[in-house]
Amino acid sequence: MLKTRVITALILLAILLPILYFDYFPAFAMVVLVFFAAGAWECFRLFKSPRPAVWAVVWTLAFSVILFFSGLPSVRPLYVLCVVLWAIRFVPALGLGLPKAEVFANRLLNGTYMLSILGCFVAIVDLFQRSPLYLLSVMAVVWVADIGAYFSGKGFGRHKLAPSISPGKSWEGAIGGWLAVLVISAAVAMSVGLGETFQLRLYDRWGWLGFVAALSVMVVASVVGDLFESQLKRRAGMKDSSNLLPGHGGVLDRIDALIPVLPLAALIDLWLAAA
């Protein structure tokens, strides 16, 4: 399994790193479309929707129109909608549970989750257009939180965070991930010559208090995104969202924590630009 994971990771890096390094938008947009289509297909499978491939094509065509024709500024209000949906629908679902797969409420939830995935990918493109480094600096918040939570949970985890949804997660792990994000982000913000990053921009505009507050909310959002997808998989009786990425599961398994975070980060970025 480890060998398979490494090979898959190396292939993905071989595709993504040159595109990011050369900042070539057409190639980036096509890769994003492919990942979006895969994530959409996985989403409809998790919700037990009939004809998931057909619905994935429909949503991918809609995303293509946004990407190549309507322009990102016209859909930036989607960021606000995504943040609201996570606050009033997806977070409560962690405590209240999910509707049964065959009822209308499940189809409605499917649509709202797809909207949040759409918002996530729109934000990816939006942040990339500022710079590839800027996009990576936002995504790194989630990656650092995940890595910090893993090692903190392994070493100190005693109190379960959500045992009925994801028994392996602990409060100690979540706190460790949060602290890791604050420490690494502070180091990035203070790094001379690194270039403009989300962390540096956040500190310059809002100071340390706003810096800590914004990153803390993003870490909480990443945990919620991870838990919600775990809840979907548990209801569907699936270990992974798919096997499209050998050794890593599916696309949603890799981006579940990013789905609520990236629209939030893009919204914060708009506020920073206006500050």
Side-chain angles (χ1 to χ4, degrees):
M1 179 62 71
L2 178 59
K3 181 180 178 181
T4 303
R5 289 174 66 90
V6 170
I7 291 173
T8 301
L10 289 175
I11 292 172
L12 291 174
L13 287 173
I15 295 170
L16 294 174
L17 286 181
I19 294 172
L20 293 172
Y21 180 78
F22 291 107
D23 195 3
Y24 186 55
F25 181 76
F28 179 79
M30 294 308 300
V31 170
V32 167
L33 275 175
V34 170
F35 276 91
F36 177 84
W41 173 71
E42 292 172 357
C43 174
F44 285 105
R45 288 177 72 244
L46 284 176
F47 279 91
K48 301 295 185 180
S49 174
R51 298 180 296 279
V54 173
W55 283 110
V57 169
V58 170
W59 278 83
T60 303
L61 289 174
F63 182 39
S64 301
V65 170
I66 293 171
L67 199 54
F68 296 112
F69 299 103
S70 66
L72 297 182
S74 64
V75 295
R76 282 175 179 159
L78 180 60
Y79 301 149
V80 178
L81 178 59
C82 288
V83 171
V84 171
L85 284 175
W86 278 98
I88 69 173
R89 185 61 186 97
F90 302 124
V91 172
L94 297 180
L96 300 175
L98 299 172
K100 294 181 178 179
E102 63 272 11
V103 302
F104 175 74
N106 181 63
R107 294 194 291 274
L108 185 61
L109 186 63
N110 189 355
T112 55
Y113 192 54
M114 268 308 308
L115 272 177
S116 70
I117 294 174
L118 177 64
C120 170
F121 277 85
V122 170
I124 287 174
V125 177
D126 212 355
L127 295 168
F128 175 85
Q129 290 186 327
R130 180 174 291 279
S131 80
L133 174 63
Y134 200 81
L135 170 61
L136 290 175
S137 69
V138 173
M139 299 176 86
V141 172
V142 173
W143 298 334
V144 170
D146 187 49
I147 294 169
Y150 175 80
F151 286 105
S152 298
K154 284 288 186 182
F156 308 104
R158 298 293 183 274
H159 302 87
K160 299 298 183 182
L161 180 62
S164 63
I165 298 174
S166 185
K169 289 182 170 53
S170 67
W171 281 102
E172 291 84 357
I175 293 170
W178 170 65
L179 291 174
V181 165
L182 295 184
V183 171
I184 299 298
S185 295
V188 170
M190 295 296 99
S191 296
V192 178
L194 184 60
E196 187 179 42
T197 61
F198 178 77
Q199 291 82 351
L200 175 60
R201 190 174 172 84
L202 195 58
Y203 168 69
D204 281 344
R205 298 294 194 278
W206 288 356
W208 284 119
L209 183 61
F211 180 89
V212 171
L215 290 174
S216 298
V217 173
M218 289 171 65
V219 170
V220 171
S222 74
V223 173
V224 170
D226 193 329
L227 288 175
F228 186 75
E229 201 239 355
S230 294
Q231 189 178 32
L232 289 176
K233 289 189 292 186
R234 184 171 290 271
R235 185 188 65 169
M238 298 166 63
K239 182 179 182 294
D240 298 313
S241 58
S242 76
N243 295 312
L244 290 177
L245 302 175
H248 293 267
V251 171
L252 290 185
D253 296 322
R254 297 300 94 205
I255 69 166
D256 52 3
L258 292 168
I259 292 171
V261 171
L262 286 176
L264 174 61
L267 185 60
I268 291 173
D269 185 60
L270 293 175
W271 290 339
L272 293 173

